[in-house]
Amino acid sequence: MDLHLNDDWASSAVFSPSLARQQQHQAKEWSYVDQWLQAKYHPRPVPPFERNTDTLRALTALAAANEAADEERASQLEFKQNILSSYRPKRPDDKVIRIREGLNRDASKALDSLAGASVKLGADFGGVSQNREALLYLSKEECEVEHSILPEEQTLKILLADIQEAEESLRKFQSEAYETPKDLPAKVAEWTRTIKILQQKSAEYKDRATSLQNAYRRNPPRYTVESLVELESEVLDLQGHVRSLNGQVKAYTLLPPDPQAAQRKIEEAKEELERLKSRREELYQGIARS
């Protein structure tokens, strides 16, 4: 009997109670979320979305918050309905009726305005002093609110300007000037090939440098820097001596190759030199006598 089991069978055969409970809990939550979504989108179908753990967590929290808000709204509506159903308007007093009947149109209108202002200002008794104090307090609060709104309005203007600038930048970046070139994949492939070639060349040059260093260690050169400097100094001295000899040789380049003819040429040059010296002496004497 073959006792070797494959990995797929072994992984599927393992049973984890905690994992089963977790899957059962997730199934209940998905059922709750699906029912809530169907109720919200009815009669339209629920749009498709990605079903994962994060989505389940977010939708569960949203559904719970929505149901809590619905319950609070329903309780408020029920409370208002109970208040309205229990309200019974009182019959006005006969004195009030007679007073209103005795007022003219302008006085009745002024009384209604005063009563409405008293109710809005929270002064139910209709006292003039209370209305005045409430009106002053309301004016003060209005002024404070206006002053507190000014920085918020300025901040709002700045935010709107930033949003407009961001939208303009977004439109600019979405233009054709910032689109990816069509030949970019080909260039990237070419750059990749070039990088690989350069990497191979770099490794080759490193190997060559290592080989040269090893060869230098095994067979150091015969000449050092100091010896080369000395040789250079000797070469420079020899070059100076050669230049001196070349200057001396140039003096004899005009002589004929025959020794006797060259000797005669030298004698003639000496005679010419003596003649020039005599001429110079005569000129000096003439200058001295004058």
Side-chain angles (χ1 to χ4, degrees), residues 33-49 59 62 66:
V33 169
D34 290 336
Q35 292 178 1
W36 176 71
L37 289 175
Q38 290 174 1
K40 290 297 179 183
Y41 280 94
H42 183 76
R44 295 173 299 170
V46 179
F49 60 92
L59 289 176
L62 181 61
N66 187 265

Side-chain angles (χ1 to χ4, degrees), residues 75-122:
S75 62
Q76 291 178 357
L77 181 60
E78 183 180 0
F79 177 75
K80 290 180 180 179
Q81 290 177 352
N82 293 333
I83 293 296
L84 292 175
S85 62
S86 62
Y87 175 73
R88 294 291 184 272
K90 296 181 180 180
R91 183 176 180 277
D93 193 0
D94 294 338
K95 293 181 180 180
V96 176
I97 294 175
R98 287 196 297 271
I99 291 173
R100 290 188 64 88
E101 290 177 352
L103 296 175
N104 56 18
R105 183 177 180 182
D106 294 336
S108 179
K109 186 176 180 181
L111 182 60
D112 291 338
S113 300
L114 182 61
S118 299
V119 173
K120 291 182 179 180
L121 294 174

Side-chain angles (χ1 to χ4, degrees), residues 198-264:
L198 292 177
Q199 288 176 347
Q200 294 175 358
K201 291 291 184 181
S202 176
E204 181 181 352
Y205 293 152
K206 287 181 180 178
D207 294 338
R208 289 184 181 180
T210 304
S211 301
L212 291 175
Q213 289 178 355
N214 295 331
Y216 178 81
R217 293 190 184 97
R218 289 193 300 268
N219 299 316
R222 186 175 60 181
Y223 297 102
T224 61
V225 177
E226 291 79 4
S227 62
L228 291 176
V229 171
E230 293 178 358
L231 289 175
E232 183 183 8
S233 178
E234 293 178 0
V235 170
L236 292 176
D237 293 339
L238 289 175
Q239 288 179 352
H241 184 63
V242 169
R243 284 194 295 270
S244 176
L245 293 176
N246 287 333
Q248 295 178 9
V249 170
K250 284 181 180 179
Y252 297 97
T253 55
L254 299 177
L255 295 176
D258 185 16
Q260 294 180 357
Q263 186 66 32
R264 288 195 298 271

